[in-house]
Amino acid sequence: MGLSQELVLCCDSCQYSRTEYSSPRENNLNHRQNVPFEVNKEIVLYSHEIGSGYSSVDKLCTVFGMPAMNKSSYHRIDKRVNASIVEATDATLNETVEFVREAYRETFPQGRVNAVNDDGEEDGAWEDDDGILWVDVAFDGTWHKRGFSSHYGVGVVVDVLTGYVLDFCVKSTYCHTCAMNKEKLEGMTAAEQLQWKQLHQPDCSINHEGSAKSMERDAALELWGRSVERHNLRYRTMLSDGDSTAFNALAAAQPYGPTRPITKLECTNHLPKRMGTALRKASKDGRLGGRGEGRLTKEKCQRLQNYFRSAILNNLEDQRAMEQAIWATFFHVTSTDEDPHHDRCPAGPASWCFFQRARAEGQPPPPHAGHNGTALSREVSHAVLPIYRRMTNPILLKRVAHGKTQNSNESLHNVMWGHCPKEVFVGKDRVEAATAEAVAKFNRGNFALAQVMDHMSLPITELTHSALAKKDKVRVQKAERATDVAAVAARRARCAGRQRQLEQREDQEGEVYGAGLMGDGGE
């Protein structure tokens, strides 16, 4: 009976016999077939927690010398576990929406700026007359496989104010039942195929027609299209990385009508990455890299990307100052002794510009050759000038002036694929359950597992509660250490120290590993 054992008590004197099981069946239905035992449901839930499948349960039983659960029984229970996780998460999302609604009321008691009324005009309302709340959300997509060849894609909406997940959807282009019956369908007539597909349609896992790249766009359309019906919310903004056409599709679809447009916001982490990507592409395609003074090397691309990021973060909510700071970095790295351009650089003895520091101290400016480590030649500066013009577009800078990021989405993806590793082939139900489990833990912490167990009619002991509370406490402590300024500085110092030690060891050992180092024929 899987991990449950049948125990029979017999008496040789009176022929008394009684049968019990080491684990009760669901709802104490001990004599009903196909009713799972509690211990078998617990072991299947355990496999979800560690992000594995039947093979992990089989190996565990082998090591402990226990009879393994039947594979068909595992998959039968697994379907019920998947459904329980999704249903429990739906209840969690309903609670989350109410919490988000209260958070907006407390944060904007006098109304919210930049909201849009029915006439398409901005006013101070944060909630329409019909009781539908406007919220700012971050949206991002993720895939089960890398390289945009995945059968499954996930779209997630996260509230920007609270950081809670509001909704998600899973897109799939694969159905195991359809794949297994492909040859059978080929031997049927057109009428028989149509009849089979109509019967199978309610259980078919395919809900997306198109490439993997279009999953993020279609997921956005679905999530925005059902926000009012499901949660009584309107997603006013989309904070995203801009890697897909999701926002363009929403702008064209107008899910809330022509008088309620959606605003695009840029992630402050992804916009500098776009700058770095454009610079590296220009270096490669334009052959601007390589050795030589003023060349656009990979190291300089990274430095210019960091300068761009600092200019944004240091001038949030001031679009004009942000633009000036970005151009200051460009003219700084393109300056020479004969033609300096440091007027845009910040003045004063504390300036990051060596030229302005010398001027503030009343000293002659030092030569650029020894102080401008990111200097670009005239040829390179002319080639990258269009990139800077494009990246300082007023519309683009306005979208990033809020200073918000998609870190919550990225963190959720990490939790999600921990429950469903990308290296393991799974079905849509497993991806959906893994996403739901990650969303529940993201919103409620590890106590979300207790809610799933309660939904599955599994016993929850005091030890379970204390263990989950301890896990949440440790998680919070790690998060606090990760954001502590002193701890961050200490980690960076340790990392730099280990790197220096590694470089010293490599210098002492000489060249011991490399392509073709052994030589031809081992000589």
Side-chain angles (χ1 to χ4, degrees):
M1 302 295 180
L3 298 188
S4 178
Q5 301 294 307
E6 183 181 11
L7 308 175
V8 181
L9 176 64
C10 301
C11 178
D12 294 336
S13 301
C14 63
Q15 305 302 316
Y16 172 83
S17 177
R18 181 178 177 180
T19 302
E20 293 287 348
Y21 295 100
S22 60
S23 174
R25 288 187 188 268
E26 187 179 81
N27 298 325
N28 295 320
L29 299 176
N30 290 332
H31 301 290
R32 293 282 299 275
Q33 295 297 322
N34 294 329
V35 177
F37 291 92
E38 286 184 357
V39 65
N40 291 339
K41 292 195 297 181
E42 290 169 342
I43 196 66
V44 174
L45 181 60
Y46 156 79
S47 70
H48 277 260
E49 284 294 301
I50 65 175
S52 186
Y54 174 77
S55 60
S56 65
V57 175
D58 185 51
K59 292 177 182 178
L60 180 69
C61 294
T62 301
V63 171
F64 281 91
M66 301 183 297
M69 183 187 303
N70 184 272
K71 194 170 186 179
S72 61
S73 299
Y74 175 89
H75 289 298
R76 184 172 63 251
I77 298 175
D78 185 59
K79 290 183 179 180
R80 299 187 61 178
V81 173
N82 289 337
S84 296
I85 292 174
V86 173
E87 292 172 6
T89 301
D90 286 342
T92 298
L93 288 178
N94 292 333
E95 297 174 0
T96 300
V97 170
E98 293 304 318
F99 176 84
V100 170
R101 192 177 293 276
E102 290 299 324
Y104 273 86
R105 290 194 179 101
E106 294 177 2
T107 306
F108 308 105
Q110 302 300 326
R112 220 176 57 177
V113 297
N114 297 330
V116 181
N117 60 22
D118 293 338
D119 298 327
E121 301 174 350
E122 292 188 352
D123 61 17
W126 55 269
E127 190 172 17
D128 287 340
D129 295 335
D130 53 8
I132 300 176
L133 180 70
W134 286 89
V135 296
D136 300 320
V137 299
F139 171 78
D140 197 15
T142 181
W143 290 263
H144 183 245
K145 296 291 183 182
R146 299 176 178 88
F148 300 107
S149 60
S150 176
H151 289 302
Y152 312 110
V154 183
V156 182
V157 168
V158 179
D159 177 57
V160 173
L161 177 65
T162 61
Y164 286 107
V165 180
L166 297 177
D167 202 0
F168 70 92
C169 71
V170 178
K171 292 296 182 180
S172 171
T173 60
Y174 177 81
C175 176
H176 187 68
T177 303
C178 293
M180 292 295 99
N181 289 274
K182 184 177 181 180
E183 295 183 359
K184 178 182 177 181
L185 288 171
E186 292 176 352
M188 295 181 180
T189 63
E192 290 174 340
Q193 290 181 5
L194 179 60
Q195 183 181 8
W196 185 91
K197 291 180 179 179
Q198 289 177 345
L199 293 174
H200 171 63
Q201 183 61 36
D203 300 323
C204 186
S205 298
I206 298 176
N207 62 359
H208 177 75
E209 297 290 341
S211 65
K213 291 183 178 180
S214 63
M215 289 179 178
E216 184 174 359
R217 178 200 63 194
D218 291 358
L221 290 172
E222 180 177 341
L223 293 171
W224 260 259
R226 71 188 190 191
S227 66
V228 175
E229 178 182 359
R230 176 167 290 195
H231 296 308
N232 210 31
L233 299 175
R234 288 191 179 101
Y235 304 147
R236 185 177 73 104
T237 59
M238 172 191 274
L239 172 62
S240 63
D241 51 26
D243 291 342
S244 73
T245 59
F247 176 74
N248 296 335
L250 285 174
Q254 297 180 346
Y256 307 134
T259 60
R260 294 185 174 95
I262 302 168
T263 304
K264 177 70 169 66
L265 299 180
E266 295 288 343
C267 173
T268 54
N269 285 338
H270 283 85
L271 194 62
K273 290 181 181 179
R274 286 169 60 183
M275 166 64 86
T277 300
L279 292 173
R280 285 186 288 271
K281 187 175 185 298
S283 175
K284 181 179 179 181
D285 296 347
R287 298 182 180 180
L288 305 176
R291 298 180 180 179
E293 185 178 356
R295 305 301 292 176
L296 185 61
T297 62
K298 291 183 179 180
E299 292 76 12
K300 288 184 180 180
C301 289
Q302 184 61 48
R303 289 182 185 178
L304 293 174
Q305 176 181 327
N306 294 338
Y307 299 161
F308 184 82
R309 175 182 172 84
S310 297
I312 291 175
L313 297 180
N314 294 334
N315 297 279
L316 296 176
E317 305 298 339
D318 191 341
Q319 180 181 335
R320 181 60 180 170
M322 187 185 299
E323 182 180 357
Q324 291 292 337
I326 295 173
W327 280 113
T329 62
F330 173 79
F331 287 109
H332 177 86
V333 299
T334 58
S335 296
T336 61
D337 293 339
E338 296 77 15
D339 189 20
H341 299 285
H342 298 283
D343 293 338
R344 297 172 184 256
C345 297
S351 173
W352 51 260
C353 174
F354 69 93
F355 194 94
Q356 290 288 359
R357 287 199 305 269
R359 178 181 292 180
E361 295 171 357
Q363 300 178 359
H368 285 70
H371 294 79
N372 194 353
T374 322
L376 301 180
S377 65
R378 184 175 297 273
E379 174 193 1
V380 174
S381 62
H382 283 303
V384 301
L385 180 60
I387 298 176
Y388 274 82
R389 285 175 176 168
R390 185 173 72 251
M391 298 302 294
T392 54
N393 185 295
I395 297 177
L396 189 62
L397 296 183
K398 183 179 179 180
R399 292 175 177 176
V400 79
H402 53 80
K404 304 296 183 179
T405 70
Q406 286 182 290
N407 289 348
S408 297
N409 297 73
E410 301 294 342
S411 299
L412 177 65
H413 296 168
N414 184 47
V415 178
M416 181 191 311
W417 300 126
H419 288 291
C420 184
K422 296 189 175 186
E423 296 77 16
V424 181
F425 180 81
V426 295
K428 174 179 175 290
D429 291 344
R430 182 60 185 274
V431 175
E432 191 170 23
T435 306
E437 194 168 6
V439 167
K441 288 186 177 180
F442 199 80
N443 287 353
R444 297 197 57 185
N446 285 286
F447 272 104
L449 178 61
Q451 188 174 12
V452 173
M453 295 176 66
D454 181 66
H455 196 275
M456 295 172 58
S457 301
L458 292 175
I460 305 174
T461 64
E462 293 184 3
L463 182 61
T464 303
H465 276 290
S466 62
L468 294 176
K470 183 178 180 180
K471 289 172 68 68
D472 279 334
K473 181 179 179 180
V474 171
R475 179 179 56 85
V476 172
Q477 290 175 346
K478 287 183 178 180
E480 291 175 349
R481 286 198 300 267
T483 56
D484 182 72
V485 177
V488 171
R491 284 197 303 271
R492 290 177 177 175
R494 289 195 300 269
C495 182
R498 288 194 296 266
Q499 184 63 30
R500 287 193 298 269
Q501 291 180 358
L502 179 61
E503 293 175 353
Q504 292 175 359
R505 292 175 183 174
E506 291 180 349
D507 292 339
Q508 294 173 358
E509 295 172 354
E511 193 173 9
V512 295
Y513 184 86
L517 187 62
M518 188 176 66
D520 297 335
E523 297 179 359

